[in-house]
Amino acid sequence: MPIIQCETIGCKRTAIDDIDRPVIALGASRVDGVWELEMHQHRKAQLIYTLQGIISCELEQGVWVVPPQCAVWIPGGLMHSARGTGVNQCYCLFVEPEAGRNLPTTCCTLSVSPLLRELLLHAAHFPLLYDEQGAEGNVINTLLDQLSVAHVEDLYLPLPRDNRLRQLTDGMLQDPADKSTLAEWAGRIGMSERSLSRTFAHQVGISVHRWRKQLHVILALQKLSKGTSVQAVALDLGYESASSFVTMFRKAQGKPPARYLSDCANCQESPMQGGFSLSESMS
């Protein structure tokens, strides 16, 4: 059972699934560097919202990336791991399945509106056993309403089921600058080029070419959030110039990388008082 260290509100160690409230919001302490949580699960669904840094969550079927000012939604009961890079400052929301309200039924990355952000930050200061029938309960209800209409961001990297295709995706993850052709990859994993393309598209839902571009967007966000220059990111990902990389990013995300991150970070940071250990509040 996942547990949370909580000294600021008077309890010692509390199992998150045992807290008798439909929704629980937690503020996590600021963490610098890289941290990682192994595969785990809990009955409650989880929303992870980051003010700074990049968080990635991996499930069996894929990887979801959370840039600053976005959130990842993980339905209850799903095995998942999490990893953070950069200076992380995040909030977590745990939601009982019956609290529903047309919330997503699959894992996804969500854009957080200014109103949803303020509701989440405000709710993180509630006592665990807040008054469901009072003002705090009203805030929670409004928070759920805003969460149900949050925009889904295309920051998902699906993974194939076929073990041979996993060799392909694992190879690209390990060396994203690799410019091998489909024919070359097909030879390496023992498939024909046509079978590779058709099976990949059937299992993953997108072409290998588009998957590789999505991988580059995800890796670029992770690098750029740590202060790496666009030029260095472009070279690391195998692009001949920064302009060709920016063109790819703009086509994929609708705006150049600098503008994308600027828009994500346009909300001022809200200071946290007290809080939870990041690794524990994410569990």
Side-chain angles (χ1 to χ4, degrees), residues 27-251:
S29 57
R30 183 180 174 121
V31 174
D32 295 352
V34 178
W35 56 264
E36 188 166 0
L37 289 177
E38 296 180 352
M39 283 286 180
H40 64 283
Q41 66 182 139
H42 28 76
R43 184 187 69 253
K44 288 181 169 69
Q46 183 177 13
L47 181 82
I48 305 170
Y49 168 57
T50 177
L51 290 171
Q52 287 182 287
I54 294 284
I55 295 174
S56 59
C57 292
E58 181 174 350
L59 283 75
E60 181 181 358
Q61 65 269 41
V63 178
W64 283 259
V65 175
V66 194
Q69 305 301 330
C70 283
V72 64
W73 172 259
I74 307 167
L78 293 182
M79 292 292 296
H80 60 281
S81 64
R83 186 174 189 272
T85 58
V87 179
N88 280 141
Q89 186 176 0
C90 74
Y91 288 79
C92 295
L93 191 73
F94 295 90
V95 183
E96 287 284 3
E98 60 267 24
R101 307 260 185 132
N102 297 316
L103 297 177
T105 57
T106 58
C107 193
C108 57
T109 303
L110 300 174
S111 177
V112 176
S113 69
L115 176 56
L116 178 56
R117 174 186 183 273
E118 292 306 316
L119 288 167
L120 181 56
L121 269 59
H122 182 54
H125 292 88
F126 290 174
L128 289 182
L129 299 179
Y130 57 83
D131 182 4
E132 295 182 75
Q133 307 305 318
E136 293 166 340
N138 292 335
V139 170
I140 292 296
N141 288 332
T142 304
L143 190 160
L144 289 175
D145 288 340
Q146 288 298 307
L147 185 59
S148 68
V149 297
H151 175 70
V152 176
E153 295 282 348
D154 186 20
L155 292 173
Y156 165 50
L157 196 62
L159 297 175
R161 299 183 303 275
D162 188 286
N163 288 331
R164 294 168 299 176
L165 295 179
R166 279 294 183 100
Q167 295 178 46
L168 166 65
T169 54
D170 287 348
M172 289 185 174
L173 285 166
Q174 293 171 11
D175 185 8
D178 188 346
K179 297 182 180 180
S180 299
T181 65
L182 281 185
E184 290 171 332
W185 272 112
R188 293 174 192 171
I189 64 177
M191 299 179 73
S192 69
E193 183 177 354
R194 181 180 181 186
S195 178
L196 186 159
S197 296
R198 293 179 62 180
T199 307
F200 192 95
H202 175 71
Q203 293 191 6
V204 177
I206 57 177
S207 68
V208 176
H209 180 66
R210 183 176 173 187
W211 190 93
R212 185 172 180 269
K213 283 189 174 182
Q214 187 68 0
L215 169 64
H216 285 180
V217 168
I218 288 171
L219 294 177
L221 288 173
Q222 292 175 332
K223 292 174 181 291
L224 291 168
S225 71
K226 293 187 292 184
T228 306
S229 69
V230 171
Q231 179 70 34
V233 170
L235 295 176
D236 287 346
L237 296 179
Y239 291 85
E240 295 182 357
S241 66
S243 61
S244 60
F245 162 72
V246 170
T247 298
M248 179 282 297
F249 193 101
R250 183 187 292 112
K251 288 181 178 178

